[in-house]
Every structure is written in C-alpha cells, then in structure tokens.
C-alpha cells in the first residue's frame, strides 16, 4: 500500500465492517510492525467477545471507534440500523473498556429518531469517562432511509445540548 510506504502514521480500518475479515489481527500486527497506529472503526457486534478483543489487543490494536447510533435502546437501533442490538453493543463497550482500549463512541443523529436520547446516553458514557475518551455526534447525511427527514445542523446540536444542560437534563458537569 503506497500510503504505508509514504510513512502515514495512522491507519483507519473501516468500510463495511472490518471485523468480518478473518485476517484483521494480521493486518493490525503488520501495521504495528511498520510503526503505524491502527484505528478500527466498527459497529462493535463482534467485540462483545473477550477472546476476540484479546486477539485484537495482542495484535497491537489499542484505539477503536465504536458506532452506537441507538445508544442504550434497542428501539433506536431497530429504527436506525434495522437490528435490535443494544445489549451486544453495550457488552462490546464494556469489554473494550475492561481491556483498556482508547474508545471513541460515535452516534449518528437523526432528528425525531434518536436526538432525544443524547442526554441519557451521554450520562451513561460519562460514568465510564476513564475508559470512553471521546463521544462524537454526527448528523445524518442525505442517504439511507432517513434522507427525506430534517437534518440537524451544528447550531441545532449546540442549541439542543445547551437547552438540556440549562434544564439540568444532561447534567454535563462532574458526577
């Protein structure tokens, strides 16, 4: 891969779902041996397995972005991702945290679907703040089954979070 030969230091392993590749530990090991920092971007469904996570860690993976569009709720995952998978994703998050991974949690916001869930999910993540290092919120683009719905702009998101904060819903301060 030319990007590796040019000295790129961070390699994001994404696209589809990288954990379906049987050779992903080998890819991670190779990237680490070359001095790169592999970052896995995953839906997390396979990461509830302690054995699987241990294999990834042994290969050299330390940083992972976990997509959690439905937060804590099966109904939101069903609406956004066509599957009820909250327990598996929450288990994956716990396994990754126990294994001391640098975890970033990402949530794709869809107004009227999961945006009301952000404060509750944030509180849940905040309680794991020593392990979950970042919480990324993104708006949904013009694709997929939610493409005809309203978009949430950055100003909308800031206003919403400020509203939740001032009402004491989110309690974004220290625990």
């Amino acid at each position: 891969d030319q990007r590796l030969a040019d000295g790129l230091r961070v390699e994001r392993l994404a696209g589809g779902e990288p954990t379906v590749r049987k050779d992903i530990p080998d890819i991670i090991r190779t990237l680490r041996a070359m001095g790169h920092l592999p970052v896995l971007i995953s839906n997390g469904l396979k990461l509830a397995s302690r054995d699987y996570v241990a294999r990834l860690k042994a290969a050299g993976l330390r940083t992972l972005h976990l997509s959690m569009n439905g937060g804590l709720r099966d109904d939101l995952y069903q609406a956004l991702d066509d599957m009820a998978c909250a327990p598996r994703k929450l288990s994956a998050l716990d396994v990754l945290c126990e294994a001391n991974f640098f975890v970033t949690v990402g949530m794709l916001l869809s107004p009227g679907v999961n945006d009301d869930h952000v404060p509750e999910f944030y509180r849940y993540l905040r309680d794991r703040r020593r392990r979950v290092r970042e919480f990324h919120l993104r708006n949904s683009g013009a694709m997929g089954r939610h493409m005809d719905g309203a978009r949430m702009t950055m100003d909308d998101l800031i206003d919403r979070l400020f509203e939740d904060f001032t009402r004491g819903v989110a309690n974004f301060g220290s625990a």
Side-chain angles (χ1 to χ4, degrees):
D1 187 315
Q2 184 63 39
R3 291 175 297 160
L4 296 177
D6 289 342
L8 185 63
R9 302 301 300 171
V10 175
E11 279 293 325
R12 289 181 182 89
L13 305 172
E17 174 53 40
T19 61
V20 300
R21 292 186 62 116
K22 291 180 181 172
D23 63 346
I24 199 71
D26 296 328
I27 293 170
I28 291 166
R29 193 172 294 104
T30 299
L31 290 169
R32 281 301 244 191
M34 297 174 78
H36 300 293
L37 174 66
V39 177
L40 190 70
I41 300 172
S42 176
N43 66 22
L45 296 177
K46 209 169 167 182
L47 300 172
S49 164
R50 282 180 174 75
D51 290 340
Y52 184 72
V53 169
R55 286 199 330 261
L56 295 177
K57 189 170 184 176
L61 187 67
R62 300 291 183 272
T63 306
L64 197 130
H65 178 98
L66 183 60
S67 174
M68 297 188 73
N69 298 330
L72 306 172
R73 296 177 31 198
D74 267 342
D75 63 314
L76 298 178
Y77 285 109
Q78 187 67 49
L80 293 164
D81 298 332
D82 272 342
M83 67 174 73
C85 56
R88 283 176 59 194
K89 290 199 179 226
L90 294 169
S91 178
L93 179 61
D94 288 342
V95 168
L96 292 166
C97 288
E98 289 166 11
N100 293 312
F101 274 78
F102 181 103
V103 179
T104 297
V105 172
M107 185 180 215
L108 180 65
L109 296 178
S110 186
V113 179
N114 67 344
D115 57 317
D116 285 341
H117 185 54
V118 171
E120 179 183 6
F121 190 44
Y122 176 79
R123 284 190 302 273
Y124 179 86
L125 295 175
R126 188 194 62 208
D127 291 343
R128 287 148 183 80
R129 70 177 149 235
R130 289 194 176 107
R131 312 286 180 160
V132 175
R133 310 283 174 92
E134 298 174 352
F135 181 33
H136 293 189
L137 299 171
R138 297 176 294 132
N139 68 336
S140 57
M143 62 184 190
R145 66 185 161 277
H146 299 288
M147 65 188 287
D148 294 329
R151 303 289 174 270
M152 181 173 279
T153 66
M154 182 61 77
D155 287 339
D156 294 336
L157 177 60
I158 291 169
D159 290 346
R160 177 58 192 274
L161 294 176
F162 181 76
E163 175 187 323
D164 289 339
F165 175 75
T166 57
R167 287 184 312 156
V169 172
N171 189 13
F172 287 96
S174 61

